[in-house]
Amino acid sequence: MAMPDDLERLQAFLPPIYTSHALALTLPSFLDVRVIDLEWHSVRCHCGRDLPDGALETIGIGNDKAVLQVDWQSLDAAARDDVRRLLAALVRVGTTIYHSAESDIRKMRENGVAVTAAGHARLEDTMLADAVLFSEEDHDLDDLRRRHGRLPEYKHLRAYAPAAYNAADVVSTFDAWRSLERSFAGDPQAHRVYREMSIPFIDLVVEGEEAGVRVNADVARALFAKYLERIRQATILARAYTGDPTLNLAAPDQVKWWVYNVYKMPVQRKRSTEWGVPGAATLEKDALATLRRQQGAEWDEEEEPTLEAALDNTEVGGWGAGLLEAKYLFNAAQQRLTHYVVPCLVVEGEGLDRRLVGVRDRIYPECRQHVQASGRHSYVGPALQQMKGETSTLVVPDPGTCWVGHDWSNIETWLLGVLAQDELILEAKAQGWDTHVVNFCDGTGTPRPPHLTKALHKCGCPGCVAWRASVDWKGEDDLRRTFFKRYVYRLHYRGRPEFAGDIPGARALGFDVPRLVATSEAYLSRHRALVQYWTALERQIDVEGLVRTFRGRPRRLTSPNRSARYREGSNHPMQGGVADIYIETALLVKRAAPWARLVYGAHDSQWWQVPRDRLAEFIALYAPIVEREVLVNGRPVRFPASFKVREAT
């Protein structure tokens, strides 16, 4: 509990606080620029109020001159209607500032306030502004207070002094906006990204979050049983291998004790936070992968782990391999179960004692614009963009609708080719080549097939038939093609070739470290434009410490490691550039078809829900927008896409 002097110190920075909601339309300072900040109940806030989780408590309106606070829970129905009308009218004049407008607008709408982002005279959002200007930083309000504000720490005062806490949020948001506004004045490119992309996208976020996504009940039940069985299998394998009938794979300390103390495997450690002091021992994802690789396991991270694969890897591995494989099988099943399946269900119990109570009709994932430095959007609760294969079937279109989506074909490579002016990459794009096959041929000295499009995998012409026979080609899933696909992607992301031995197929194809390095050198000798482009970026990073996408989205490079700065700085124009194209595409589609709803997307794909009887109309609008001509650094380019439709079940 906070001490009174903490509150006294904070109050010295706060303006007068009023409680009569009628003042909001009479105080002149509110009519020009004001912050709106809502507080809603959390069972974790320990405020002593008996309210449902998420119940609206306080509406704070103000700036550095005055703060008005409305206790929503104390208002009768008539007073609540007054406040609803007041808020709807207030945002139609002057400037309204939020910290996370999406959250506050959604909460207002949840409580009957007729408001949208587009309905504001002018809307500003400090979280989104900071995410564009200072993408490398955290963007919570307390972080903005430290970097942009003047108030002392106050977040610990929420339960002790809720009125002062809300007023401080209002003032901190106002101070942060004034600081960010000055930064935008010196960076018109960043301001254009914020104004033309981040702010308009708010209404798409709110619409999607309010609608939610329908759950496929049959799939949810089946996957719950499947992954729970995988967890049971992994547990049995680990206990049988170690002889410990109580071993709990969900207890990191137990598993680490066996791996490092019993099996004496090389200790993998977290990065140290203190000079000269080794980091703590870990068995997190990368550490587990390193140890499994040392045991001789080879696997494809895109393929689902199975008990059969775990047993196969145990046989080829050494002492302790069985526990590592059990842990890998357990982690994968646990992650799929808890991250994707359980949010669709009502479940009781933990671990192997989980019991299915029911299936939710809908889930309500949240879209985050601010969390990735590249500008990519993320979904949480669950992470829709990471649901692949069978987990992607957990969600389905609503009855009477269908989903229409697209995937851009290798868009990051194409954008890199344009940015670097690499004519070989651009020729491959123009000709529609299967670049992964071309890279395999050029990287191994194998003659190219007579046709270089994806038709080469099934083409019946004598030349292609003879080529496939001469190299024993297995089609699009040929190990050589998939290896070179991932290997070249890693080079494009500035990965070091000597560390590429973990790519599935490297060992089977004979790619040891010298050959990996030699193949990299050969590839880059054919793509000198890439080397020149990266060299120029590195000079810019050394001088300015900043790079931008072709739309002007900035990324400051703050890592103390020079190589990390180069890698991050080389990736941002490519990754962030695709994020910009993604956002622009979604906004254009919504403008052309306002009756369509963005369900979710990943960085290179989107899904839209449309009425079934308007499917043809939507596709006619959608496809030209997705494959429109984009001007990248003065060069017009179109990014090809494949389109897909999912029907309601």
Side-chain angles (χ1 to χ4, degrees):
M1 194 63 70
M3 297 297 292
D5 57 343
D6 295 333
L7 179 57
E8 184 177 352
R9 189 160 44 247
L10 174 64
Q11 287 175 330
F13 291 88
L14 299 180
I17 299 175
Y18 301 92
T19 57
S20 172
H21 63 266
L23 288 172
L25 291 180
T26 59
L27 288 176
S29 61
F30 288 164
L31 299 181
D32 181 21
V33 179
R34 90 289 302 181
V35 170
I36 294 180
D37 182 84
L38 275 58
E39 310 290 348
W40 51 88
H41 186 69
S42 169
V43 295
R44 299 181 299 275
C45 73
H46 308 297
C47 65
R49 302 184 77 169
D50 184 18
L51 295 171
D53 199 31
L56 177 60
E57 291 186 293
T58 304
I59 302 171
I61 306 170
N63 47 40
D64 60 341
K65 302 294 191 299
V67 173
L68 165 72
Q69 291 178 340
V70 177
D71 183 354
W72 184 254
Q73 295 298 321
S74 69
L75 302 182
D76 60 21
R80 287 188 177 186
D81 282 343
D82 285 343
V83 172
R84 292 184 183 109
R85 286 191 293 270
L86 180 153
L87 287 171
L90 193 60
V91 301
R92 290 196 292 268
V93 297
T95 298
T96 306
I97 307 164
Y98 300 88
H99 184 75
S100 184
E102 168 265 317
S103 299
D104 284 335
I105 288 175
R106 193 154 51 90
K107 186 59 64 175
M108 284 191 284
R109 290 170 58 85
E110 182 183 308
N111 285 275
V113 182
V115 61
T116 64
H120 286 63
R122 188 174 184 88
L123 184 154
E124 307 292 1
D125 187 320
T126 54
M127 177 178 281
L128 297 183
D130 197 64
V132 172
L133 282 163
F134 306 102
S135 63
E136 71 286 355
E137 300 281 0
D138 293 328
H139 311 296
D140 60 86
L141 186 54
D142 198 44
D143 190 68
L144 267 65
R145 174 196 62 80
R146 288 192 296 270
R147 291 188 285 115
H148 300 295
R150 55 196 167 87
L151 271 62
E153 291 188 26
Y154 65 86
K155 286 296 182 181
H156 58 295
L157 292 171
R158 179 169 186 178
Y160 181 79
Y165 174 90
N166 173 256
D169 273 358
V170 169
V171 174
S172 286
T173 302
F174 186 83
D175 287 348
W177 174 246
R178 287 305 191 207
S179 174
L180 293 163
E181 195 174 33
R182 290 191 292 271
S183 295
F184 275 139
D187 193 341
Q189 293 183 77
H191 187 249
R192 189 161 50 248
V193 169
Y194 163 76
R195 179 59 53 198
E196 297 178 4
M197 297 187 199
S198 302
I199 296 299
F201 204 83
I202 292 172
D203 276 334
L204 274 72
V205 171
V206 172
E207 180 183 44
E209 292 180 348
E210 287 182 341
V213 190
R214 188 163 72 101
V215 173
N216 187 324
D218 291 339
V219 170
R221 291 189 191 96
L223 292 184
F224 178 78
K226 176 179 179 176
Y227 294 135
L228 200 60
E229 174 62 15
R230 289 269 174 86
I231 290 172
R232 188 187 70 83
Q233 291 171 346
T235 301
I236 291 173
L237 178 62
R239 290 175 177 177
Y241 197 84
T242 61
D244 182 352
T246 64
L247 180 59
N248 180 4
L249 289 171
D253 289 342
Q254 284 190 39
V255 184
K256 283 189 292 185
W257 184 85
W258 275 97
V259 169
Y260 296 134
N261 292 70
V262 178
Y263 296 125
K264 305 295 184 184
M265 294 185 188
V267 179
Q268 307 298 304
R269 297 188 179 277
K270 296 180 180 179
R271 180 174 295 180
S272 177
T273 58
E274 186 176 349
W275 178 258
V277 178
T282 181
L283 263 181
E284 293 176 353
K285 181 180 178 181
D286 290 343
L288 183 61
T290 298
L291 293 173
R292 291 181 67 227
R293 200 169 293 116
Q294 291 173 356
Q295 290 283 329
E298 188 170 20
W299 70 97
D300 186 342
E301 289 189 354
E302 294 186 6
E303 293 182 358
E304 185 176 342
T306 64
L307 177 61
E308 293 73 22
L311 293 173
D312 289 343
N313 281 330
T314 297
E315 287 186 10
V316 302
W319 197 40
L323 179 56
L324 296 180
E325 293 307 310
K327 179 64 173 170
Y328 180 66
L329 179 63
F330 173 88
N331 285 357
Q334 178 85 338
Q335 195 261 356
R336 286 166 171 77
L337 183 65
T338 59
H339 286 54
Y340 309 130
V341 180
V342 168
C344 301
L345 306 171
V346 179
V347 175
E348 292 181 350
E350 296 290 337
L352 291 171
D353 295 325
R354 290 187 182 97
R355 183 174 64 86
L356 178 60
V357 176
V359 181
R360 301 183 191 279
D361 179 60
R362 308 184 76 78
I363 54 175
Y364 296 88
E366 296 182 6
C367 178
R368 305 284 173 82
Q369 290 199 66
H370 66 283
V371 295
Q372 298 196 45
S374 65
R376 288 180 176 178
H377 295 174
S378 296
Y379 289 82
V380 296
L384 291 173
Q385 76 280 4
Q386 295 176 9
M387 293 167 64
K388 299 177 181 178
E390 62 185 7
T391 57
S392 68
T393 63
L394 280 163
V395 289
V396 290
D398 290 317
T401 73
C402 57
W403 288 354
V404 184
H406 77 274
D407 287 287
W408 279 298
S409 176
N410 206 5
I411 185 173
E412 290 185 348
T413 296
W414 299 142
L415 181 56
L416 176 62
V418 177
L419 295 172
Q421 295 297 290
D422 187 311
E423 298 303 329
L424 287 180
I425 291 178
L426 297 177
E427 179 190 11
K429 176 191 181 304
Q431 300 297 328
W433 289 353
D434 186 330
T435 55
H436 312 311
V437 174
V438 172
N439 289 331
F440 153 68
C441 292
D442 294 349
T444 59
T446 303
R448 291 179 176 182
H451 297 302
L452 295 176
T453 67
K454 285 191 175 181
L456 70 89
H457 302 291
K458 296 180 179 179
C459 178
C461 74
C464 283
V465 171
W467 181 84
R468 291 197 299 268
S470 68
V471 297
D472 191 24
W473 194 251
K474 307 299 184 186
E476 285 192 56
D477 294 329
D478 191 282
L479 182 61
R480 292 160 291 188
R481 181 181 182 274
T482 57
F483 170 79
F484 268 89
K485 174 182 178 180
R486 295 174 186 178
Y487 177 72
V488 172
Y489 280 169
R490 190 169 296 192
L491 293 182
H492 289 171
Y493 280 103
R494 305 300 303 276
R496 294 175 62 177
E498 59 266 35
F499 296 149
D502 61 338
I503 297 175
R507 184 177 303 158
L509 297 174
F511 278 90
D512 56 12
V513 170
R515 191 179 178 195
L516 288 167
V517 172
T519 303
S520 167
E521 292 171 348
Y523 179 81
L524 294 178
S525 71
R526 294 190 301 275
H527 293 271
R528 295 192 181 277
L530 288 181
V531 178
Q532 293 168 0
Y533 169 68
W534 288 331
T535 300
L537 275 178
E538 289 170 3
R539 285 197 297 266
Q540 179 181 336
I541 292 165
D542 287 339
V543 174
E544 301 178 23
L546 179 144
V547 295
R548 295 181 186 273
T549 67
F550 72 98
R551 287 291 189 240
R553 183 185 298 274
R555 172 76 190 273
R556 288 170 173 78
L557 292 317
T558 58
S559 172
N561 183 286
R562 191 181 190 189
S563 296
R565 292 197 301 273
Y566 287 166
R567 186 167 58 252
E568 293 165 1
S570 300
N571 290 342
H572 180 70
M574 176 172 55
Q575 287 184 311
V578 172
D580 292 343
I581 295 169
Y582 172 102
I583 297 167
E584 289 177 343
T585 299
L587 294 172
L588 288 170
V589 171
K590 187 64 176 177
R591 193 175 305 151
W595 36 269
R597 173 168 61 83
L598 179 64
V599 183
Y600 69 97
H603 68 284
D604 60 355
S605 64
Q606 294 174 4
W607 281 111
W608 291 80
Q609 181 162 293
V610 300
R612 184 64 184 79
D613 58 5
R614 302 187 77 169
L615 172 61
E617 177 189 0
F618 180 76
I619 291 176
L621 295 168
Y622 184 52
I625 292 173
V626 170
E627 296 188 321
R628 71 194 180 279
E629 186 175 272
V630 179
L631 198 64
V632 180
N633 293 348
R635 183 165 185 160
V637 59
R638 296 180 188 274
F639 299 104
S642 59
F643 295 88
K644 51 202 177 180
V645 176
R646 283 185 64 181
E647 300 284 355
T649 57

